[in-house]
Amino acid sequence: MCGIVGYIGQNQAMPVLIKGLKKLEYRGYDSSGIAVFSDHLQVVKTKGRLADLEEKIKTDGSINGCVGIGHTRWATHGAPDDVNAHPHTSSNGRISVVHNGIIENYLPLRTELEKKGYTFVSETDTEVVAQLFDAYYNGDMVDTMIRVIQKIRGSYALGVLCQEKPDEIIAVRKDSPLLVGLGNHENFIASDIPALLEYTKDYYLLNDNEIVVLKKDCVTILDMEKQEISKEIYHVTWDISTAEKGGYDYFMMKEIMEQPTAIRATLSPRIVNGEIQLDSIQYTTEDIKNINRIHIVACGSAWHAGLVGKYVIEDYARIPVEVDLASEFRYRKPILHPNDICIIISQSGETADTLAALREAKRQGIRILSIVNVVGSSIARESDDVLYTWAGPEIAVATTKGYSAQIALMYLIALKFGQARGYISTEEIKQLVAELENIPSQIETLLKQEGEWKALAKAHAQIPNAFVIGRGIDYAVALEGALKLKEISYIHCEAYAAGELKHGTISLVEDGTLVLAIATQDALYEKLVSNVKEVKARGAYVIAIAKEGNTEIAEVADNVIYIPQITDSFTASLDVIPLQIFSYYVAVERGCDVDMPRNLAKSVTVE
Ligand code: F6R
């Protein structure tokens, strides 16, 4: 949510900033801007995409200088327009600031500054930070930063330039991500690794309120007492091509196609000679036996992955599982027992509500196991145990491979816990693990049918609304399928537990209403077919998803998409594939920007 870059070195800053922002555009894309030093601070900013900023820079003339900061915005305070775009500058032009996060007490601060004679031009919370820097400036940017931090409340990653310090950038973070990239006679700040990759693979992770002073040839990190902190250097292991489109029209399709690899990479290091070994987590058999209840907490698709987790963990490990939306959990005063554990799921590891929920669970003293994709992210660092999904960087705003890798870990946890608690025999484990290991190649087979689903999507691209129904795990996947369609194609789509539809919502079904019916739970199949008949009787057009060999469903549904045979517990991994591809092609057909849907941003770092 908002992307920040900063560059200081011996090359021109502007092209580095623009390239970096392009890599971060997935974080927000309603406006953007840069500030670059030459003999004075030059600021160019505009509403719209980065292409609009590039155009404006061309029109405004050249921007020279080897020090600069840049920002791509997802609006929180004030409309996405030229004035509210970052960087924000103090009234006298001395300070320039880019910010990701929310300054919660910006209104009283603004009033206080106005009384001192500062005038504001934007509606943003960030302009207050620029003015505060100016008001507190005493010739030392670290002192000033400390005073500003003590005054502001909320979440922030800040990159700041001062007219009087042309050879440094000062930066800080709290509850919003910020990395420091380490180059050769050049250094960087960025919200995420892809912005750095062209220049360096070495970086520092920052903890809350660690202040960074970035110069061309050195990086100093200080705490709030101005004591220098020595940091471990992290090294990016993946290649720049992983974060490129690689010939696909959109990252989303590339990431859909990468799902077999992502699941393989997530599963295979943890399956050794047919045995599940949950690397790096410190749970003994005794610990697992003592678990009283599991609280799974997440947002959006990660929450949907948690729902799949509930079904499989309760089934195999017989541990009661509650699944909460992080934004609810954090404020609902959850009752946690000392022997409960909390599983936090997050692709980015930075989602504000999820991080706050983790802290609430921790405050109550329960053990946190997190499932995270981004190595070293805040959620990973604050958890007691971490299981990484090895999905690689996910750039498209709508998650695909991140979700698939999360559910793969849900299966492993369910089986491992089930075995430890004595509910699954060694024989059963062997057979289930073999099924798990087969999932990536089953997805590869499924992906070959992409062309058929494209045709189906084209035929239905202009529908006004749709339903996705299912029972049991199929219902959990229905929620994910409906979200995919909604967020990228802007078609209203509701997921419903198939048995629940007749309790009111079926009144919305009329002639031609599209219903995607997931019918892959053998144990619930007949019940689901009855629900399909109910919507058919009211005129719905039904596309069913069923297991291969099921010929009967074709007599009830208008179209059938077949998935390979698989045990009921693992169907989510296969069911979701046609739903993702169907949504993708509907969105393409409707002319939507698949990777950057309106109003959205990846990594939601505000609550
Ligand atoms: C939907 C989607 C979001 C995220 C949610 C949580 O396609 O991507 O719903 O799943 O914002 O994000 P993470 O997993 O980064 O915490």
Side-chain angles (χ1 to χ4, degrees), residues 88-92 95-97 113 118 125-135 148 160:
H88 286 281
T89 307
S90 58
S91 303
N92 56 9
I95 302 288
S96 203
V97 174
L113 286 158
Y118 284 93
D125 49 342
T126 307
E127 195 181 359
V128 161
V129 179
Q131 308 283 31
L132 261 188
F133 259 95
D134 185 66
V148 169
V160 187

Side-chain angles (χ1 to χ4, degrees), residues 203-426:
Y203 66 99
Y204 289 141
L205 288 168
L206 295 176
N207 292 322
D208 282 356
N209 288 337
E210 288 179 347
I211 299 164
V212 190
V213 182
L214 216 65
K215 300 203 182 226
K216 179 163 76 75
D217 288 309
C218 74
V219 170
T220 314
I221 302 182
L222 304 151
D223 65 15
M224 293 284 282
E225 272 73 51
K226 289 181 83 172
Q227 295 301 309
E228 204 168 324
I229 304 168
S230 71
K231 304 285 285 185
E232 180 187 347
I233 297 180
Y234 285 78
H235 190 74
V236 187
T237 47
W238 39 273
D239 200 70
I240 190 160
S241 61
T242 326
E244 304 280 353
K245 277 192 200 145
Y248 288 94
D249 290 340
Y250 290 101
F251 277 108
M252 185 174 172
M253 185 47 90
K254 177 179 176 247
E255 289 162 6
I256 287 173
M257 293 295 170
E258 283 171 350
Q259 288 179 108
T261 312
I263 297 172
R264 236 176 236 125
T266 301
L267 290 179
S268 57
R270 286 140 178 159
I271 300 177
V272 183
N273 301 326
E275 288 256 324
I276 297 173
Q277 294 184 359
L278 295 182
D279 57 323
S280 73
I281 77 164
Q282 314 293 325
Y283 280 77
T284 62
T285 303
E286 221 33 50
D287 290 340
I288 297 169
K289 281 187 176 157
N290 285 337
I291 296 172
N292 174 61
R293 183 177 295 270
I294 296 177
H295 303 265
I296 301 182
V297 188
C299 299
S301 295
W303 179 70
H304 298 157
L307 288 173
V308 173
K310 175 183 169 73
Y311 284 103
V312 286
I313 295 171
E314 289 190 340
D315 187 11
Y316 287 121
R318 309 304 299 152
I319 305 172
V321 180
E322 281 181 29
V323 189
D324 269 87
L325 291 166
S327 53
E328 291 298 312
F329 182 88
R330 64 182 291 192
Y331 294 120
R332 79 165 167 83
K333 302 187 186 141
I335 301 164
L336 310 179
H337 181 274
N339 286 354
D340 291 355
I341 67 160
C342 182
I343 300 183
I344 295 282
I345 310 179
S346 176
Q347 186 283 128
S348 63
E350 299 292 349
T351 303
D353 280 320
T354 313
L355 183 58
L358 177 158
R359 289 176 181 164
E360 170 58 24
K362 224 173 167 180
R363 194 188 62 76
Q364 292 201 32
I366 73 165
R367 196 162 164 183
I368 314 288
L369 164 60
S370 67
I371 293 181
V372 176
N373 196 41
V374 177
V375 175
S377 54
S378 303
I379 288 174
R381 283 188 286 162
E382 293 191 26
S383 301
D384 300 302
D385 298 275
V386 185
L387 282 171
Y388 282 110
T389 48
W390 297 117
E394 193 176 60
I395 312 287
V397 164
T399 182
T400 52
K401 62 176 180 172
Y403 166 85
S404 285
Q406 286 162 355
I407 56 178
L409 278 182
M410 291 280 103
Y411 303 151
L412 285 186
I413 292 171
L415 296 185
K416 182 76 188 171
F417 284 13
Q419 196 178 19
R421 291 166 74 96
Y423 290 110
I424 320 176
S425 67
T426 316

